[in-house]
Amino acid sequence: MARALVPASEGARLDVRKTYKLYINGAFPRSESGRTYVVSTPAGEPLANAARASRKDLRDAVRAARGAAGGWAERTAMNRGQILYRVAEMLEGRREQFAAEVAAAEGLADRAAREQVDRSTDRLVWYAGWADKISQVLGTVNPVGAPYFNFTIPEPTGVVGVIAPEASSLLGLISRLAPVIVGGNVAVVITSETRPLPAMTLAEVLATSDLPSAVVNVLTGLKKELAPVLAAHADVDGLDLWGAPPSMRAALEEAAAESVKRLARGARSADDGRFDWADDRRAQRPEWIAAFLEMKTVWHPIGV
Amino acid sequence: MHNPAMTIKPAGRPGAAGADETRDERALARGWTGEKGPASWGLGDGQAVPWEYAPAPEARDLARIRPRYGLFINNREVEATGGETFVDIDPSTEQPLAEIARATAADVDRGVRAARTAFGRRWGNLPGRERAKYLFRIARILQERSREFAVLESIDSGKPIRESRDVDVPLAASHFWYYAGWADKLDYAFPGRAARPLGVAGQIIPWNFPLLMLAWKIAPALAAGNTVVLKPASTTPLSALLFAEVCREADLPPGVVNIITGPGEVGTALVRHRGVDKIAFTGSTAVGIQIARNVAGSDKALTLELGGKAANIVFDDAPLDQAIEGIVNGIYFNQGEVCCAGSRLLVQESIQDELIERLKDRLATIRVGDPLDKNTDVGAINSRAQLEKITELVAAGQAEGAELYQPACDLPDRGYFFRPTLFTNVAQSHRIAREEIFGPVLSVLTFRTPSEAVEKANNTAYGLSAGIWTEKGSRILHMVQKMKAGVVWANTFNRFDPTSPFGGYKESGYGREGGLHGLLAYVRLDDD
């Protein structure tokens, strides 16, 4: 819209704008509600109309995710790792596009925005490598005091709701999403409410990265409308609250308790965007993969 | 730990030669050679009569139960604020055992303060090797006083002395032993991360394995450097209060372990207390959800070990003698009052008739009665309320059309006893196939294909455990992969070990107890 103020003067080319939609089940539908909301830069300059997803859209996304959960969990670990790496490759190829979008969304200078994009790509590569290692780090063989072979292995939890960080539109989102899916979970993401556009462009990357349809579903809209539905949804197994508004935390956790959801509650410093997503030591951790893994212990007798 | 629950017992009828001849022939026709043990000796009519057993009671006075118990705070036994008490009942006789202090919110506060002070001053700064030695001491004292604990546990909970003596108490001691060794090795537990204690742990445990659940909670908490406030179940406080004596005997610093007794409200007060950094709960899913709601919005860490409705799946190529014992151990161990009990038997259709017939024979040899009798297999149900719940669900099973079978065994005249119960013709929609009964009640369902077994096994909101019986290795691993359950027993059931992580998927809770993963539940990981 801001860009629309520039008239198509003679000889200048009128640019083709993108309609930002949702990403559900591998497709890019508008909200079934037909609603949109205006997204602006931090300076207040309008950028685009984003889809304002409804509760119905969210339930559709959860159903799609559930359908994809079994297949994704059964992919080999190496295959999951390669697909995540492929996402990084696609991101790298669109470096300039993402830099422009992040700059506009977060009000950053070009260089700072490019840094966010590069970090995002590197973070994906970091997590991609974990796919076939995490079970060797978290798994154990247990020396029980009787003639049994006993071992413990991690498995994905299932459908994980991710409420994406509000301030860090791309790097924050990728830092929360990558550990969820690399472990074999599927995700329903509620993007940053005020900075949703890079996330929807990321959905285009996901759609062209060999990631099976519906492994990641991305919704834009109002967190106060969507997050409570996600938290209360009985077919969601886990919930990442890093991007939940502090004022909603307690209510979301209470709603999540009803179906014994696993929670990633988030650092206190993530509340107001102070968390430094660029700090590799703090912002990428194998524990964050483990947050949505279930440990399965197996016993078998030993005998002739 | 080798769990000897439900060992095979001879089922012959002494002095009835004529009848036995037919019996033997039919048994031989089924492949019994006379050497494998007579589990297949019966006629499938539930009338197999066990040997006459003389009573073999364990000495009750080993338990040395006092008439009155206070709370244990700062290594001292104290009255509850306000001086109220409640009565602890022996479930096998319905007679009062002791008067127990009924804690108030003020007492919870006292306990938490004591734990907080101990964490800040003494325990939190103690070198790991010293914490380790305290835990080793506790393990040793539990071993030394094991029979006393076993007798007390059986009296208070109703479980057979054979189980408290051979399972609960030795396992409790070995949990302290195992975690003792971690106390000075935390730097090696989580590579690249420094494991720090969380602070004060509030722990709430159930009545089915009172001392063992105490050990599962307290041992890893102390090893990691936390202090604890523990609330035992109100129907089984005695072993925890005897454990308080062990803490003193071990010279554990005051305030490191605090034990407060009382009803559910005491647990709620503990969960809500601002001075608590971590809550660990074992119990029903309904209460677990309430606790998670109470913790919502706080910074408290939470682990939940909740209910279950485990499938025990028997394929047509299973080793049947072992499977029968596994099924019996799976559901009748500890009167079925086990969160991971194999309460849904899924049997492949082709072997259903034979398996059920042999299972009925086996049930006829189960001895129900005095928990202190060393021959008892199934003791008393823990409380009148639990007995009523079991009775109600069994009635629902009949009302919904399942077929009930109970062996004709004598029950004691008083006390809370329930016959081992088997339901056939059970549909997945029946309450007895969906709800956790927490009693000696087995629901039998059938399947034709492995994929049908998987679907039925996972068709529950719970996900604590599962059993698989087949001789085919690749099928075991396939089923292991498909089970949405935290513990999978293949060709065995109900085995536990301090090194072996235990806990649930789905609504059976989160977090693990036992092993390295159990330690993780009591630390935060820092960067240095």
Side-chain angles (χ1 to χ4, degrees):
Chain A
M1 277 171 254
R3 286 165 296 175
L5 294 175
V6 180
S9 58
E10 204 176 334
R13 181 180 170 273
L14 188 70
D15 59 350
V16 179
R17 291 195 213 139
K18 181 160 79 182
T19 300
Y20 288 88
K21 298 191 282 188
L22 307 174
Y23 182 52
I24 300 173
N25 205 16
F28 290 89
R30 293 186 173 81
S31 169
E32 60 81 33
S33 68
R35 303 178 304 175
T36 57
Y37 69 109
V38 177
V39 174
S40 307
T41 65
E45 219 181 328
L47 282 172
N49 296 308
R52 183 175 153 195
S54 66
R55 289 178 293 182
K56 172 79 165 64
D57 294 320
L58 190 138
R59 288 195 294 264
D60 288 346
V62 172
R63 188 178 309 118
R66 174 61 67 194
W72 183 239
E74 284 178 14
R75 294 286 180 116
T76 65
M78 187 188 179
N79 184 241
R80 281 201 304 265
Q82 288 191 71
I83 289 174
L84 240 72
Y85 188 83
R86 181 76 177 157
V87 176
E89 287 177 348
M90 297 295 104
L91 199 59
E92 182 86 5
R94 297 212 204 184
R95 192 164 172 249
E96 296 308 315
Q97 180 191 4
F98 274 101
E101 289 213 8
V102 170
E106 301 185 16
L108 297 178
D110 286 352
R111 196 172 145 194
R114 201 163 279 120
E115 169 74 10
Q116 291 285 305
V117 178
D118 290 346
R119 288 283 182 184
S120 299
T121 310
D122 292 354
R123 188 139 297 156
L124 278 166
V125 171
W126 191 81
Y127 276 111
W130 269 114
D132 50 7
K133 294 160 198 72
I134 191 74
S135 62
Q136 290 182 311
V137 172
L138 298 180
T140 53
V141 173
N142 312 306
V144 295
Y148 292 87
F149 186 60
N150 179 295
F151 60 92
T152 300
I153 46 170
E155 290 187 347
T157 295
V159 177
V160 176
V162 177
I163 303 173
E166 193 56 33
S168 182
S169 60
L170 182 69
L171 180 54
L173 167 60
I174 282 177
S175 300
R176 299 313 307 165
L177 179 61
V180 168
I181 59 176
V182 76
N185 296 290
V186 296
V188 174
V189 176
I190 301 173
T191 68
S192 167
E193 179 176 320
T194 54
R195 304 171 175 183
L197 304 185
M200 288 321 302
T201 304
L202 178 69
E204 295 164 14
V205 165
L206 299 175
T208 53
S209 303
D210 297 333
L211 192 72
S213 294
V215 168
V216 176
N217 303 272
V218 186
L219 305 172
T220 54
L222 310 189
K223 283 180 174 171
K224 72 171 191 299
E225 278 181 1
L226 299 174
V229 184
L230 188 63
H233 199 299
D235 208 25
V236 173
D237 304 307
L239 190 62
D240 186 316
L241 290 162
W242 276 68
S247 61
M248 293 178 70
R249 284 275 169 92
L252 293 176
E253 288 185 25
E254 274 193 51
E258 291 301 327
S259 60
V260 198
K261 286 184 182 60
R262 287 82 178 107
L263 298 178
R265 284 156 145 180
R268 287 274 149 181
S269 54
D271 289 350
D272 54 4
R274 277 181 301 151
F275 190 81
D276 182 5
W277 292 102
D279 180 355
D280 283 348
R281 272 176 62 77
R282 299 197 172 277
Q284 55 184 32
R285 298 172 170 235
E287 296 101 278
W288 292 353
I289 308 174
F292 297 110
L293 294 177
E294 310 288 320
M295 304 308 298
K296 177 182 275 178
T297 297
V298 182
W299 292 72
H300 195 279
I302 298 169
V304 286
Chain B
M1 174 306 296
H2 205 80
N3 179 352
M6 308 305 168
T7 46
I8 297 168
K9 294 216 177 60
R13 194 197 309 261
D20 276 356
E21 206 170 333
T22 337
R23 203 174 272 273
D24 283 354
E25 274 168 23
R26 287 183 51 181
L28 283 166
R30 277 189 218 128
W32 180 65
T33 62
E35 285 161 11
K36 281 167 69 181
S40 56
W41 201 338
L43 298 173
D45 53 6
Q47 298 303 307
V49 177
W51 302 115
E52 292 298 324
Y53 280 70
E58 183 56 91
R60 192 179 172 90
D61 58 3
L62 278 174
R64 291 183 295 190
I65 297 171
R66 292 190 273 133
R68 204 178 159 102
Y69 289 85
L71 313 171
F72 182 68
I73 296 172
N74 257 331
N75 276 13
R76 283 197 304 274
E77 186 173 349
V78 295
E79 294 290 315
T81 314
E84 276 195 60
T85 62
F86 63 97
V87 177
D88 184 26
I89 303 281
D90 177 345
S92 68
T93 63
E94 304 178 50
Q95 296 301 302
L97 282 172
E99 258 186 274
I100 313 289
R102 183 189 169 117
T104 62
D107 297 320
V108 171
D109 189 53
R110 276 202 288 174
V112 173
R113 280 170 197 276
R116 173 61 57 197
T117 305
F119 177 70
R121 289 203 194 135
R122 305 183 187 92
W123 194 250
N125 301 320
L126 205 62
R129 65 166 189 278
E130 302 302 312
R131 286 203 310 274
K133 286 188 284 185
Y134 279 116
L135 290 171
F136 279 124
R137 266 192 195 175
I138 290 172
R140 281 302 204 209
I141 297 169
L142 284 176
Q143 288 174 329
E144 288 158 13
R145 298 177 70 171
S146 62
R147 194 57 55 89
E148 179 185 355
F149 268 103
V151 172
L152 182 70
E153 195 78 320
S154 280
I155 291 173
D156 201 15
S157 72
K159 67 172 64 207
I161 183 71
R162 193 162 46 80
E163 292 177 8
S164 54
R165 183 195 63 200
D166 298 347
V167 180
D168 295 61
V169 178
L171 263 181
S174 63
H175 265 269
F176 278 99
W177 184 271
Y178 172 76
Y179 280 109
W182 270 124
D184 54 358
K185 296 167 195 69
L186 296 177
D187 290 347
Y188 304 94
F190 308 101
R193 291 278 187 268
R196 308 253 187 256
L198 295 165
V200 175
Q203 306 177 316
I204 301 168
I205 58 171
W207 44 258
N208 57 344
F209 295 92
L211 181 71
L212 183 56
M213 291 301 104
L214 173 150
W216 283 25
K217 296 281 182 287
I218 292 183
L222 298 196
N226 304 279
T227 56
V228 307
V229 179
L230 177 122
K231 190 195 99 64
S234 56
T235 60
T236 54
L238 295 185
S239 55
L241 295 168
L242 183 59
F243 180 81
E245 244 179 63
V246 172
C247 293
R248 271 198 295 225
E249 196 179 329
D251 291 328
L252 198 68
V256 172
V257 170
N258 304 276
I259 294 166
I260 52 174
T261 46
E265 301 104 83
V266 178
T268 307
L270 182 58
V271 169
R272 289 193 176 149
H273 198 289
R274 285 170 179 274
V276 171
D277 302 294
K278 191 236 158 63
I279 296 291
F281 171 74
T282 298
S284 72
T285 293
V287 174
I289 288 171
Q290 277 312 311
I291 288 174
R293 291 178 63 93
N294 277 324
V295 167
S298 76
D299 283 332
K300 288 170 190 161
L302 176 66
T303 46
L304 299 171
E305 202 270 85
L306 308 177
K309 191 73 191 177
N312 202 357
I313 306 168
V314 184
F315 286 95
D316 58 7
D317 67 342
L320 268 199
D321 288 332
Q322 288 150 263
I324 298 268
E325 291 312 303
I327 294 163
V328 167
N329 181 40
I331 186 62
Y332 303 116
F333 173 57
N334 202 40
Q335 299 73 245
E337 298 165 324
V338 185
C339 47
C340 54
S343 53
R344 287 183 299 150
L345 176 63
L346 293 181
V347 53
Q348 198 154 18
E349 231 174 62
S350 51
I351 56 162
Q352 181 191 8
D353 293 344
E354 185 188 359
L355 186 131
I356 299 298
E357 186 181 295
R358 289 172 65 170
L359 194 54
K360 285 180 176 175
D361 283 347
R362 180 64 180 84
L363 254 59
T365 69
I366 289 177
R367 302 175 65 84
V368 184
D370 180 7
L372 283 188
D373 192 315
K374 292 171 214 166
N375 293 319
T376 294
D377 297 310
V378 173
I381 301 301
N382 182 252
S383 65
R384 178 178 296 280
Q386 186 56 27
L387 182 63
E388 281 166 3
K389 185 188 165 193
I390 297 167
T391 309
E392 196 255 320
L393 274 160
V394 166
Q398 288 180 287
E400 288 186 307
E403 201 175 299
L404 175 127
Y405 170 82
Q406 291 175 324
C409 60
D410 295 328
L411 297 185
D413 299 334
R414 52 179 192 171
Y416 312 132
F417 290 92
F418 200 87
R419 282 195 177 80
T421 300
L422 176 72
F423 274 111
T424 48
N425 285 333
V426 180
Q428 290 188 84
S429 58
H430 289 170
R431 286 182 66 197
I432 53 169
R434 290 185 291 120
E435 295 179 29
E436 183 176 45
I437 300 173
F438 230 64
V441 182
L442 180 63
S443 300
V444 185
L445 299 99
T446 61
F447 68 93
R448 288 183 182 174
T449 62
S451 63
E452 189 187 349
V454 169
E455 202 172 297
K456 285 184 169 171
N458 288 336
N459 184 18
T460 165
Y462 295 115
L464 191 50
S465 64
I468 300 159
W469 298 85
T470 170
E471 291 283 39
K472 191 176 175 190
S474 58
R475 183 181 286 156
I476 290 173
L477 294 176
H478 171 79
M479 293 300 291
V480 160
Q481 238 174 19
K482 293 287 183 186
M483 290 297 102
K484 298 280 185 201
V487 184
V488 183
W489 287 292
N491 291 326
T492 184
F493 209 95
N494 271 347
R495 305 287 154 185
F496 309 96
D497 190 275
T499 69
S500 177
F502 181 96
Y505 281 38
K506 303 198 282 187
E507 292 187 16
S508 289
Y510 42 74
R512 292 291 176 268
E513 295 182 294
L516 180 59
H517 302 84
L519 192 63
L520 185 61
Y522 286 95
V523 298
R524 70 187 158 81
L525 301 180
D526 285 351
D527 284 326
D528 47 345

